[in-house]
């Protein structure tokens, strides 16, 4: 049996549950044992506490491409493995046809780096896998590999980011940093894509609507589901149906019942326990089922409703009544199993009014099929009529939740049609990022042994920006960010009120002067290695989410609008621009015509 150290939430320190993954058994080890056995290569999160490993126990040094280990061996063989290298992780194009991206996945990257250590079993497997024979000296080198001499500078998780700007800058021995390339890209690419997708849905839905992530059953495997729940929350969703994600990350959980629950009932006679205490405990209603039936009769005979309510499905009514007896404080009914307007909504109202008699307030209804704009509007009319007819303040505002394969386009269409939906449950298109398969982050060498390096291509968009850089966000008078600018590491920081020339990295004619009203440095030290620099603390998930929402508010509306957004300006300083083109000309081969 092989053991993996995996994070255990502090509030669940006593947990010792095992579960199977393939032929290996993953064992969740309690917090105390985690402290003793896990090895962190750098400052701990809090004094005396080792940093937890990545959420997914499969995120180990072996979660990489084979060529990372073949290169590590070749570096070692050439005596270059300890050369000091600097790599930038960035992307070249914003996803989903938009002009912004939400950066996510940083915390998992730092957890990987903090616990980066090969086991003897892993080393044996690597040596057996590499082509040819592995020298004993390389085996010894692998035993001693960790990230104690690696430095990581990153943009804060949840920040709105743009192409070409480094999300992470990783510095350290070239062989070690190369081994980090694939797992770090894996942890950032999907996380940022999902968080961006969630943020786009939030922008279309609007601030006032509640967004629920319902994607577990359609996600790409367990990790796709867990990751999606976490990063949808960062992107602005309010809750998830995923219980495991709720436990791991503290995300609010939401859920009601399915069509199967409704159709499992045949009649109210199946309800054996019919009593329900008042909400204040002062008395008991001995026959809640009869109370519901009496309210249904009142609704059916209501002149205000124009006798539009006829006979409803009694098995559905039984299911709603049973569910209300189980959850009187959280009664939310799925009303489209049989017929929304003829049965579902009237049955819900009868149960809700009976609960109201006993001091409870129902949550609302969920629509999972049909014309959501029309049905939500008609349901709202009935709620408002009942509020007026029976003198129930607030009943007209009963919450309406909509689901059924919703996406950005559906939300936009609902907005244009006019609707009365208060809450959206979104799954498949959200967590699978159906509109775009991948973000496309890359990890490029920009400096080695203090010598800047550049990657050239006939496709200008693939040319890298060399050397170790500092990155700043410049804000204008209205509080919106105007431009991101990259400078050489030793260039002076842009100053508030001082004019600075911002140049497009590759287009000579695109340039502009900016007089910033606020300057924000983007890259912060999240893993100092041996540098002695102060380490930026990893924030709580809720704080990352709040940061993301605040970031969206600080963006100019035309940059984040859904259709034809204005591209955000990413620039370099005049000095860095000149250096890029000098190095480009210096490194590019010169052809000869004959």
């Amino acid at each position: 049996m092989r053991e993996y150290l995996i994070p255990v939430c502090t509030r669940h320190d006593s947990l010792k549950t095992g579960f199977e993954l393939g032929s290996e058994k993953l064992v969740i080890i309690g917090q105390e044992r985690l402290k003793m056995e896990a090895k962190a290569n750098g400052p701990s999160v809090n004094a005396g506490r080792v940093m937890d490993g990545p959420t997914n126990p499969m995120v180990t040094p072996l979660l990489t491409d084979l060529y990372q280990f073949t290169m590590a061996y070749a570096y070692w063989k050439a005596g270059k493995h300890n050369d000091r290298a600097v790599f930038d992780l960035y992307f070249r194009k914003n996803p989903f046809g938009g002009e912004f991206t939400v950066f996510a996945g940083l915390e998992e990257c730092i957890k990987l780096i903090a616990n980066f250590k090969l086991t003897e079993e892993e080393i044996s497997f690597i040596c057996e896998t590499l082509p040819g024979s592995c020298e004993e000296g390389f085996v010894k080198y692998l035993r001693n590999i960790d990230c104690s001499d690696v430095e990581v500078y990153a943009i804060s998780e949840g920040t709105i980011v743009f192409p070409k700007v480094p999300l992470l800058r990783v510095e350290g021995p070239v062989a070690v940093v190369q081994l980090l390339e694939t797992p770090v890209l894996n942890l950032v690419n999907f996380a940022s894509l999902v968080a961006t997708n969630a943020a786009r849905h939030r922008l279309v839905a609007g601030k006032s609507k509640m967004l629920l992530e319902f994607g577990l059953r359609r996600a790409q495997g367990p990790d796709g589901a867990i990751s999606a729940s976490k990063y949808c929350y960062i992107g602005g969703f309010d809750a998830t149906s995923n219980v495991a994600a709720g436990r791991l990350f503290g995300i609010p959980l939401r859920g009601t019942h399915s069509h199967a629950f409704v159709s499992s009932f045949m009649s109210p006679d199946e309800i054996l326990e019919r009593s329900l205490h008042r909400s204040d405990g002062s008395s008991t209603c001995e026959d809640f089922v009869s109370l519901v039936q009496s309210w249904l009769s009142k609704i059916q005979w209501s002149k205000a409703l124009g006798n539009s309510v006829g006979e409803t499905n009694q098995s559905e009514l039984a299911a709603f009544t049973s569910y209300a007896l189980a959850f009187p404080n959280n009664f939310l009914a799925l009303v489209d199993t049989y017929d929304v307007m003829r049965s579902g909504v009237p049955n819900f109202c009868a149960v809700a009014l009976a609960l109201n008699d006993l001091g409870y307030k129902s949550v609302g209804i969920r629509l999972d099929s049909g014309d959501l704009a029309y049905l939500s509007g008609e349901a709202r009319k009935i709620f408002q009529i009942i509020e007026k007819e029976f003198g129930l303040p607030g009943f007209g505002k009963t919450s309406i939740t909509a689901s059924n394969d919703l996406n950005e386009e559906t939300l936009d269409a609902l907005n244009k049609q006019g609707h009365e939906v208060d809450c959206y449950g979104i799954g498949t298109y959200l967590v699978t990022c159906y509109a775009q398969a991948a973000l496309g982050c890359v990890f490029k060498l920009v400096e080695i042994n203090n010598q800047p390096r550049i990657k050239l291509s006939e496709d200008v968009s693939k040319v890298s920006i060399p050397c170790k850089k500092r990155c700043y966000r410049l804000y204008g008078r209205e509080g919106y960010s105007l431009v991101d600018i990259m400078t050489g590491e030793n260039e002076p920081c842009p100053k508030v009120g001082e004019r600075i020339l911002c140049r497009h990295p590759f287009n000579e004619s695109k340039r502009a002067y900016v007089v910033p009203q606020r300057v924000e440095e983007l890259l912060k030290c999240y893993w100092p290695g041996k540098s002695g620099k102060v380490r930026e603390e990893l924030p709580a998930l809720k704080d990352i989410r709040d940061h993301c929402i605040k970031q969206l508010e600080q963006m100019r509306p035309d940059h984040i609008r859904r259709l034809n957004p204005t591209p955000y300006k990413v620039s370099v300083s005049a000095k860095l621009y000149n250096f890029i083109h000098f190095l480009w000309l210096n490194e590019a081969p010169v052809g000869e015509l004959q």
Side-chain angles (χ1 to χ4, degrees):
M1 182 178 73
R2 182 176 184 179
E3 293 185 345
Y4 293 82
L5 292 177
I6 74 171
V8 180
C9 298
T10 306
R11 65 177 71 92
H12 299 290
D13 285 351
S14 62
L15 189 65
K16 307 277 187 192
T17 307
F19 58 98
E20 295 292 328
L21 180 61
S23 62
E24 298 178 315
K25 188 173 184 181
L26 307 180
V27 180
I28 298 178
I29 301 172
Q31 192 72 29
E32 290 305 314
R33 188 170 173 190
L34 184 62
K35 291 179 184 177
M36 292 187 290
E37 295 186 14
K39 185 177 186 297
N41 306 282
S44 60
V45 181
N46 297 308
R49 187 170 79 82
V50 169
M51 183 183 288
D52 295 340
T55 300
N56 187 337
M58 294 183 71
V59 180
T60 71
L62 289 195
L63 188 71
T64 192
D65 293 306
L66 178 61
Y67 81 167
Q68 308 294 5
F69 279 107
T70 60
M71 286 190 290
Y73 185 76
Y75 282 134
W76 176 83
K77 188 75 173 171
K80 285 178 57 66
H81 54 289
N82 286 323
D83 286 7
R84 194 75 182 173
V86 180
F87 285 78
D88 284 349
L89 186 152
Y90 61 93
F91 61 94
R92 298 182 176 120
K93 187 178 181 181
N94 289 301
F96 308 116
E99 289 296 341
F100 76 93
T101 301
V102 176
F103 171 45
L106 173 62
E107 180 182 12
E108 296 296 327
C109 290
I110 299 302
K111 286 179 175 181
L112 164 72
I113 289 164
N115 293 275
F116 194 88
K117 193 70 180 171
L118 288 159
T119 67
E120 285 296 323
E121 182 185 354
E122 288 168 337
I123 292 169
S124 297
F125 178 77
I126 292 162
C127 292
E128 291 169 5
T129 303
L130 288 177
S133 59
C134 240
E135 295 182 31
E136 183 58 34
F138 184 64
V139 174
K140 184 178 179 181
Y141 168 69
L142 290 179
R143 286 195 184 108
N144 293 319
I145 274 183
D146 59 28
C147 292
S148 58
D149 196 24
V150 171
E151 297 172 42
V152 178
Y153 300 83
I155 296 175
S156 300
E157 191 163 6
T159 299
I160 304 302
V161 291
F162 304 98
K164 291 291 187 183
V165 178
L167 309 181
L168 281 85
R169 186 178 81 219
V170 186
E171 307 175 23
V174 63
V176 176
V177 179
Q178 287 272 201
L179 290 176
L180 291 172
E181 175 182 3
T182 302
V184 166
L185 284 169
N186 178 270
L187 292 170
V188 170
N189 263 311
F190 182 66
S192 300
L193 189 71
V194 171
T196 306
N197 201 18
R200 291 177 63 85
H201 280 77
R202 167 54 71 192
L203 289 171
V204 177
K207 295 179 183 179
S208 64
K209 305 301 179 185
M210 179 170 280
L211 294 179
L212 311 178
E213 178 267 306
F214 283 175
L216 174 57
R217 62 186 61 193
R218 304 284 174 77
Q220 282 97 338
D223 186 59
I226 294 290
S227 296
S229 296
K230 178 180 182 180
Y231 298 116
C232 285
Y233 184 66
I234 285 177
F237 272 60
D238 298 289
T240 180
S241 65
N242 187 336
V243 178
R247 175 191 172 275
L248 280 170
F249 308 121
I251 302 171
L253 288 168
R254 292 290 185 276
T256 175
H257 60 78
S258 70
H259 296 104
F261 181 83
V262 177
S263 58
S264 71
F265 284 81
M266 300 298 289
S267 77
D269 295 336
E270 295 178 76
I271 303 174
L272 302 179
E273 178 52 60
R274 295 176 169 233
S275 64
L276 181 62
H277 296 295
R278 289 188 62 85
S279 62
D280 59 7
S282 61
S283 61
T284 301
C285 171
E286 296 298 340
D287 193 350
F288 183 70
V289 177
S290 295
L291 181 60
V292 170
Q293 290 283 9
S294 67
W295 269 112
L296 180 59
S297 295
K298 292 177 185 178
I299 292 170
Q300 289 170 332
W301 287 100
S302 168
K303 291 182 180 180
L305 290 170
N307 296 321
S308 61
V309 179
E311 290 298 319
T312 65
N313 187 294
Q314 288 296 294
S315 62
E316 179 182 61
L317 183 64
F320 290 177
T321 304
S322 181
Y323 198 81
L325 284 165
F327 300 101
N329 285 305
N330 297 281
F331 176 56
L332 191 151
L334 179 59
V335 296
D336 70 333
T337 304
Y338 300 110
D339 188 291
V340 173
M341 300 312 301
R342 290 190 177 93
S343 183
V345 171
N347 280 338
F348 162 79
C349 291
V351 177
L353 293 170
L355 286 172
N356 183 76
D357 280 353
L358 302 180
Y360 299 101
K361 184 178 180 181
S362 299
V363 175
I365 64 170
R366 175 161 74 97
L367 301 168
D368 192 50
S369 61
D371 187 331
L372 298 177
Y374 170 76
L375 292 174
S376 65
E378 292 302 300
R380 179 71 66 209
K381 289 176 186 177
I382 289 179
F383 296 156
Q384 291 170 343
I385 290 170
I386 286 177
E387 174 180 346
K388 188 175 180 180
E389 173 81 358
F390 299 108
L392 299 173
F395 194 84
K397 295 181 180 178
T398 295
S399 177
I400 299 173
T401 298
S403 49
N404 187 31
D405 281 341
L406 303 180
N407 55 31
E408 261 191 83
E409 288 73 20
T410 311
L411 300 189
D412 188 49
L414 285 170
N415 289 340
K416 291 172 180 175
Q417 293 166 23
H419 65 89
E420 288 294 334
V421 176
D422 303 292
C423 176
Y424 296 104
I426 308 176
T428 306
Y429 290 92
L430 176 69
V431 301
T432 64
C433 294
Y434 186 89
Q436 180 166 327
L439 176 57
C441 287
V442 294
F443 195 78
K444 296 299 179 186
L445 178 71
V446 295
E447 187 174 291
I448 190 158
N449 294 332
N450 297 315
Q451 297 300 310
R453 307 306 297 149
I454 189 171
K455 186 258 181 194
L456 300 180
S457 171
E458 292 183 5
D459 182 351
V460 176
S461 69
K462 292 191 173 184
V463 175
S464 64
I465 299 177
C467 78
K468 193 186 296 187
K469 298 171 286 294
R470 298 178 75 175
C471 306
Y472 304 92
R473 184 157 291 174
L474 309 183
Y475 292 82
R477 292 191 188 93
E478 296 179 346
Y480 295 126
S481 55
L482 296 175
V483 63
D484 285 5
I485 185 169
M486 292 173 271
T487 71
E489 185 190 27
N490 297 318
E491 287 189 60
C493 170
K495 293 181 175 58
V496 172
E498 289 189 9
R499 192 169 74 159
I500 180 171
L501 178 60
C502 300
R503 302 204 64 170
H504 188 285
F506 309 116
N507 192 321
E508 189 177 63
S509 64
K510 290 186 177 181
R511 52 188 179 169
Y513 284 108
V514 177
V515 180
Q517 302 303 302
R518 180 162 76 90
V519 176
E520 175 188 6
E521 184 158 12
L522 294 176
L523 293 174
K524 302 172 185 176
C525 181
Y526 280 92
W527 191 255
K530 296 177 180 177
S531 68
K533 295 177 182 177
V534 176
R535 181 180 180 277
E536 195 78 18
E537 291 296 327
L538 292 170
L541 188 65
K542 178 67 165 59
D543 295 333
I544 298 172
R545 179 181 184 273
D546 292 344
H547 175 65
C548 177
I549 292 170
K550 186 177 180 182
Q551 283 274 302
L552 289 169
E553 291 171 349
Q554 290 178 340
M555 294 304 301
R556 232 172 54 200
D558 58 309
H559 290 310
I560 58 175
R561 67 191 175 202
R562 185 167 172 270
L563 296 177
N564 300 316
T566 304
Y568 182 83
K569 293 178 177 60
V570 173
S571 65
V572 296
S573 66
K575 187 174 181 180
L576 181 55
Y577 173 87
N578 291 332
F579 181 72
I580 291 169
H581 291 265
F582 164 78
L583 194 62
W584 192 340
L585 292 174
N586 194 54
E587 294 288 342
V590 179
E592 183 174 331
L593 301 178
Q594 294 184 6

